[in-house]
C-alpha cells in the first residue's frame, strides 16, 4: 500500500465499499447526490458498531447521561449559538465556468509556482505603504504567504486577479468573496414564509445545551457530569470531498461535560486522553493518530482551548474529532436568548453559577472512514493477493461465517444449527458457495474475524475448525464451545 498514490488507495477503498456493500452513492440511479452517501448492509453494521462502542464507552459510566434530541429546533437556538451570524464560509465563484470554491481551501488546488507568480504580480502593483502593511508575512514561505493574503480582506480579491480558476484555467475570473451560511433551511408548517423558517441542525451539541436543566433535574446528577448524544447533522458544505470526509449529511457523536469553571483544565486534559485512547483501543494504528492543538489566534469564538484528534488519511492528516473547552459561552447565550436561568446551584455552598463545558465532538462518518482505511490491507499469500479488512472484532460487521465444506453428508444440517445458535449473539453469514479458499477470501474482504468450517471430522467427533482472519491459523474446537470462544475472542480483540 505504501507505494500507491493517495488517490489510488482511496479509489480502491471506494470500489471495495461498493462491491462489498459498505457504502453506495446516494440516489445513484439518478446520477447521485453530491455530498451524500448511503451505508449498505456491511456499512450499516460497521457504523452501528462504531456508534455502539462509543455509546458504551461514553455513557456506561455514572457521570454521563444519554440524550436524543430532535433534529429540528427552535430557530432562536441558532441565533443564540451564533450559527445564524457566524456559521459561514467565504466563497468565490468562477465567472467563466461557475465553479464555486471555499476561499480558504482555494490554495489546495493551486500549485506552488502559480502561487509564487500570483504573489509577485500582486506585489508589483502595490504601493510602498501597502507593502509595509504586509511586511508581517515577509519571512513566510510562498504557500503560507498565499494563504495569509487570501485571508486578508483588503488584498484577497486583488491577489485573485492573478490566479487561474483550478477548474477551467481562466485567469482572474473570480467574484468577490461572499459569506455563505452552511445551515440548510426549511419551513415548519404549511406556510413557507420567513416566520416558518427552521434549520436542519449543523451540530448535535445545541440539543444538549438546551436540555441541560431537564437532564440535570431528571437524573439528579451533580457537577461534573456529561450528556452524550449521537445523531445526524447537516451542513451545506461548498466543496464536499474525499469520499466520506466532508459530506453534507453526516453523523456526530458528541458529549458535553459540565464542570466547575476552576476545574476546566483538569477535565479538558482528561477527555483528551480518554478520546484518543478510545480510537487506539479499537485497533486504530497509533502512529496514524495525533493531536493538533489550535493556536490561540485560530480558536473558535466560543473556545478557550481546542484540539483536534487527527488521523493520517492517504490524502494527509485530517480531523476526526474536536475537543473544546467551550467555557460558559453556550449556556450564557441560551440564558440570554431564552430568558430562562441556566445556572447551577451548588447545594453545599449555595453558590449559583453557569458551568463550563468541555466538549468531545467526533464524526461517526469520519471515524467510519478512518477505521475503514486503517483496516484495509493488501497481502501476498501463496503468490496471490489477499485483500483483508482487519477490523477490530468489536467493529467487524459480521462476526462469524459458517461454512459447510460440502453440501451433503449431513454437513449443511449441522452448519445450519450452528448458524441458528450463533445468531443469538451476533451477526453471522452462511456461505456454501464455491471452494473453501474462495469463501475465506470473501470473508477476509468483509473483515469477518472468525470462519467456522464443518467438515468430515465434524460428523465423527462434533468438532469444527475455527479460522482466524488475521493469522489465517486454524484450530479445532467443540461445537458446544463455539459461542463462548468467539465471544471471548471478540472481547480480547483477537482475530
Ligand atoms: N459541536 C462542535 C462541532 O460540531 P466540528 O469540528 O464542526 O465541531 C465535529 O465538528 C466533528 O464532526 C468533526 O471532527 C468531524 O469528525 C465531523 N464533521 C464536521 N463536519 C463534517 C462534514 N461536513 N462531513 C463529515 N463529518 C464532519
Amino acid at each position: 500500500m505504501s507505494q500507491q498514490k493517495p488517490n489510488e488507495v482511496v479509489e480502491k477503498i471506494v470500489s471495495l465499499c461498493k462491491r462489498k456493500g459498505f457504502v453506495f452513492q446516494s440516489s445513484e440511479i439518478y446520477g447521485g447526490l453530491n455530498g451524500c452517501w448511503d451505508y449498505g448492509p456491511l456499512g450499516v453494521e460497521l457504523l452501528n458498531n462504531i456508534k455502539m462502542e462509543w455509546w458504551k464507552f461514553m455513557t456506561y459510566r455514572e457521570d454521563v447521561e444519554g440524550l436524543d434530541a430532535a433534529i429540528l429546533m427552535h430557530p432562536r437556538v441558532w441565533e443564540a449559538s451564533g450559527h445564524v451570524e457566524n456559521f459561514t464560509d467565504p466563497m468565490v465563484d468562477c465567472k467563466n465556468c461557475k465553479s464555486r470554491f471555499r476561499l480558504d481551501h482555494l490554495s489546495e488546488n493551486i500549485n506552488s509556482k502559480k502561487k509564487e507568480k500570483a504573489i509577485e504580480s500582486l506585489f508589483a502593483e502595490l504601493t510602498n505603504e501597502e507593502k509595509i502593511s504586509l511586511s508581517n508575512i515577509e519571512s513566510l514561505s510562498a504557500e503560507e504567504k498565499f494563504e495569509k493574503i487570501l485571508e486578508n480582506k483588503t488584498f484577497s480579491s486583488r491577489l485573485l486577479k492573478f490566479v487561474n480558476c483550478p477548474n477551467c484555467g481562466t485567469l482572474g475570473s473570480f467574484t468577490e468573496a461572499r459569506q455563505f451560511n452552511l445551515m440548510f433551511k426549511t419551513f415548519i408548517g404549511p406556510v413557507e414564509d420567513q416566520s416558518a423558517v427552521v434549520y436542519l441542525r449543523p451540530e448535535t451539541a445545541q440539543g444538549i445545551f438546551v436540555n441541560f436543566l431537564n437532564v440535570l433535574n431528571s437524573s439528579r446528577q451533580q457537577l461534573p457530569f456529561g450528556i452524550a448524544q449521537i445523531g445526524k447533522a447537516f451542513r451545506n458544505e461548498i466543496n464536499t470531498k474525499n469520499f466520506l470526509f466532508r459530506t453534507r449529511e453526516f453523523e456526530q457523536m458528541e458529549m458535553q461535560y459540565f464542570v466547575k469553571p476552576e476545574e476546566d483544565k483538569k477535565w479538558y486534559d482528561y477527555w483528551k486522553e480518554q478520546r484518543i485512547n478510545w480510537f487506539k483501543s479499537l485497533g486504530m494504528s497509533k502512529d496514524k493518530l495525533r493531536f493538533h492543538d489550535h493556536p490561540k489566534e485560530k480558536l473558535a469564538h466560543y473556545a478557550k482551548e481546542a484540539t483536534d484528534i487527527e488521523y493520517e488519511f492517504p490524502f494527509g492528516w485530517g480531523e476526526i474529532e474536536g475537543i473544546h473547552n467551550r467555557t460558559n459561552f453556550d449556556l450564557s447565550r441560551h440564558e440570554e436568548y431564552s430568558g430562562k436561568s441556566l445556572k447551577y446551584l451548588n447545594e453545599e455552598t449555595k453558590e449559583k453559577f453557569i458551568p463550563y463545558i468541555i466538549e468531545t465532538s467526533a464524526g461517526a462518518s469520519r471515524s467510519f472512514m478512518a477505521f475503514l482505511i486503517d483496516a484495509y490491507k493488501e497481502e501476498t499469500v501463496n503468490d496471490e493477493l489477499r485483500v483483508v479488512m482487519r477490523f477490530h472484532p468489536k467493529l467487524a460487521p459480521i462476526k462469524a461465517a459458517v461454512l459447510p465444506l460440502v453440501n451433503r453428508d449431513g454437513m449443511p444440517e449441522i452448519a445450519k444449527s450452528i448458524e441458528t445458535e450463533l445468531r443469538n449473539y451476533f451477526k453471522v453469514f452462511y456461505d456454501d458457495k464455491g471452494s473453501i479458499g474462495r469463501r475465506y477470501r470473501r470473508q477476509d474482504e468483509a473483515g469477518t474475524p472468525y470462519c467456522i468450517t464443518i467438515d468430515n471430522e465434524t460428523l465423527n467427533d462434533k468438532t469444527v475448525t475455527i479460522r482466524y482472519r488475521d493469522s489465517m491459523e486454524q484450530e479445532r474446537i467443540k461445537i458446544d464451545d463455539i459461542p463462548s470462544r468467539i465471544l471471548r475472542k471478540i472481547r480480547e480483540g483477537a482475530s
Side-chain angles (χ1 to χ4, degrees):
M1 274 248 292
S2 54
Q3 269 106 47
Q4 299 180 42
K5 291 194 187 125
N7 280 349
E8 269 175 52
V9 180
V10 177
E11 272 165 29
K12 277 186 180 178
I13 288 170
V14 174
S15 132
L16 175 122
C17 278
K18 170 153 188 189
R19 187 159 38 84
K20 298 298 288 185
F22 281 97
V23 181
F24 309 123
Q25 207 185 0
S26 161
S27 321
E28 191 182 342
I29 58 169
Y30 289 98
L33 183 67
N34 204 329
C36 301
W37 297 88
D38 297 342
Y39 292 82
L42 291 187
V44 70
E45 292 296 331
L46 175 60
L47 186 63
N48 282 343
N49 292 341
I50 292 170
K51 291 190 287 185
M52 198 56 217
E53 285 306 315
W54 184 89
W55 192 254
K56 287 198 282 194
F57 183 81
M58 298 300 283
T59 72
Y60 287 14
R61 40 185 289 155
E62 62 181 2
D63 57 347
V64 179
E65 306 287 346
L67 179 77
D68 188 3
I71 288 175
L72 299 178
M73 301 180 73
H74 195 290
R76 291 278 284 167
V77 167
W78 306 109
E79 289 171 31
S81 68
H83 282 81
V84 171
E85 195 185 340
N86 297 321
F87 198 53
T88 54
D89 279 338
M91 56 150 206
V92 288
D93 291 328
C94 169
K95 289 182 215 154
N96 183 48
C97 69
K98 311 292 178 224
S99 295
R100 181 164 282 185
F101 302 92
R102 250 177 84 164
L103 187 63
D104 51 342
H105 287 185
L106 197 59
S107 170
E108 294 165 14
N109 301 305
I110 298 165
N111 70 38
S112 301
K113 278 232 163 81
K114 288 199 167 152
K115 283 180 199 166
E116 268 171 46
K117 222 175 132 201
I119 295 168
E120 256 175 45
S121 309
L122 171 72
F123 270 78
E125 66 163 45
L126 292 182
T127 63
N128 280 343
E129 243 177 31
E130 286 171 330
K131 283 182 193 156
I132 292 167
S133 72
L134 282 175
S135 55
N136 57 333
I137 63 166
E138 243 164 42
S139 58
L140 302 180
S141 68
E143 294 281 326
E144 290 166 329
K145 269 187 196 151
F146 191 85
E147 281 169 24
K148 286 278 175 216
I149 301 173
L150 277 190
E151 281 171 20
N152 184 314
K153 289 205 175 86
T154 317
F155 297 108
S156 78
S157 55
R158 289 176 69 181
L159 178 67
L160 286 176
K161 283 197 307 188
F162 304 108
V163 175
N164 299 77
C165 167
N167 186 44
C168 68
T170 312
L171 181 72
S173 60
F174 292 108
T175 58
E176 288 278 319
R178 276 179 292 150
Q179 290 300 328
F180 174 78
N181 196 297
L182 301 188
M183 283 197 293
F184 281 101
K185 272 186 195 169
T186 187
F187 300 97
I188 199 154
V191 185
E192 296 194 358
D193 66 11
Q194 191 53 34
S195 65
V197 167
V198 288
Y199 301 96
L200 300 191
R201 67 179 175 204
E203 60 173 10
T204 57
Q206 300 299 327
I208 296 181
F209 303 141
V210 300
N211 276 296
F212 163 64
L213 279 189
N214 285 336
V215 176
L216 177 73
N217 295 335
S218 56
S219 64
R220 307 185 59 217
Q221 286 279 359
Q222 291 185 343
L223 295 192
F225 82 98
I227 305 177
Q229 165 162 236
I230 298 176
K232 291 262 182 175
F234 304 84
R235 296 181 189 180
N236 197 3
E237 300 281 2
I238 299 167
N239 301 122
T240 57
K241 63 172 189 180
N242 290 330
F243 192 30
L244 304 171
F245 187 80
R246 181 166 295 113
T247 55
R248 295 195 166 117
E249 175 176 338
F250 56 97
E251 257 179 308
Q252 289 187 315
M253 308 185 288
E254 296 200 300
M255 195 274 310
Q256 312 294 331
Y257 202 70
F258 302 88
V259 302
K260 292 182 183 154
E262 62 274 21
E263 294 183 349
D264 62 341
K265 178 75 182 137
K266 172 175 121 189
W267 290 111
Y268 175 78
D269 291 343
Y270 169 83
W271 282 110
K272 252 179 95 167
E273 277 319 298
Q274 288 289 312
R275 292 306 308 145
I276 201 159
N277 287 341
W278 180 77
F279 288 103
K280 292 179 188 166
S281 73
L282 290 170
M284 202 174 272
S285 308
K286 293 183 175 59
D287 58 339
K288 287 188 181 283
L289 281 166
R290 73 174 186 195
F291 287 116
H292 166 71
D293 294 334
H294 293 203
K296 283 262 173 302
E297 68 278 10
K298 291 227 162 148
L299 287 176
H301 58 282
Y302 51 75
K304 179 171 160 192
E305 214 171 347
T307 194
D308 295 336
I309 297 178
E310 292 188 333
Y311 177 78
E312 191 178 16
F313 291 96
F315 46 81
W317 290 93
E319 172 192 345
I320 49 177
E321 172 158 351
I323 295 151
H324 293 106
N325 176 349
R326 299 183 69 117
T327 66
N328 60 7
F329 174 84
D330 306 280
L331 292 183
S332 305
R333 292 278 288 198
H334 285 302
E335 189 173 86
E336 181 190 335
Y337 278 68
S338 69
K340 303 269 169 3
S341 167
L342 295 178
K343 294 196 175 51
Y344 174 84
L345 171 69
N346 184 331
E347 297 285 357
E348 282 160 25
T349 61
K350 300 295 171 213
E351 181 200 5
K352 273 188 161 184
F353 62 93
I354 297 188
Y356 268 36
I357 292 175
I358 307 301
E359 169 181 77
T360 70
S361 174
S365 336
R366 264 197 210 168
S367 303
F368 176 102
M369 184 168 164
F371 279 118
L372 197 71
I373 287 177
D374 206 61
Y376 183 86
K377 298 283 175 297
E378 290 178 1
E379 301 169 358
T380 308
V381 176
N382 300 333
D383 293 332
E384 271 187 31
L385 177 73
R386 166 171 111 120
V387 171
V388 53
M389 299 301 291
R390 287 177 177 255
F391 296 121
H392 189 287
K394 286 183 183 167
L395 298 185
I398 298 167
K399 305 294 186 222
V402 179
L403 317 171
L405 193 60
V406 290
N407 260 325
R408 55 183 152 75
D409 303 334
M411 287 185 211
E413 289 76 7
I414 299 174
K416 278 281 164 199
S417 82
I418 294 173
E419 180 201 3
T420 309
E421 170 62 11
L422 292 184
R423 282 198 193 284
N424 290 316
Y425 306 98
F426 38 67
K427 189 93 182 153
V428 179
F429 192 81
Y430 184 91
D431 190 3
D432 59 2
K433 305 276 178 328
S435 74
I436 196 73
R438 292 185 64 161
R439 283 186 261 170
Y440 285 152
R441 289 290 175 275
R442 288 201 285 264
Q443 293 310 314
D444 289 342
E445 275 198 323
T448 309
Y450 316 107
C451 285
I452 308 295
T453 304
I454 293 87
D455 56 18
N456 283 318
E457 267 185 77
T458 313
L459 308 175
N460 299 327
D461 61 6
K462 295 195 175 146
T463 64
V464 293
T465 62
I466 176 165
R467 179 240 191 210
Y468 296 100
R469 178 196 65 204
D470 296 353
S471 63
M472 291 184 288
E473 277 166 12
Q474 300 190 16
E475 211 184 335
R476 267 209 105 74
I477 62 170
K478 290 196 195 120
I479 289 179
D480 288 347
D481 291 344
I482 303 173
S484 59
R485 174 64 62 95
I486 294 183
L487 288 170
R488 177 160 62 81
K489 291 284 177 191
I490 294 173
R491 264 200 315 276
E492 290 169 355
S495 46

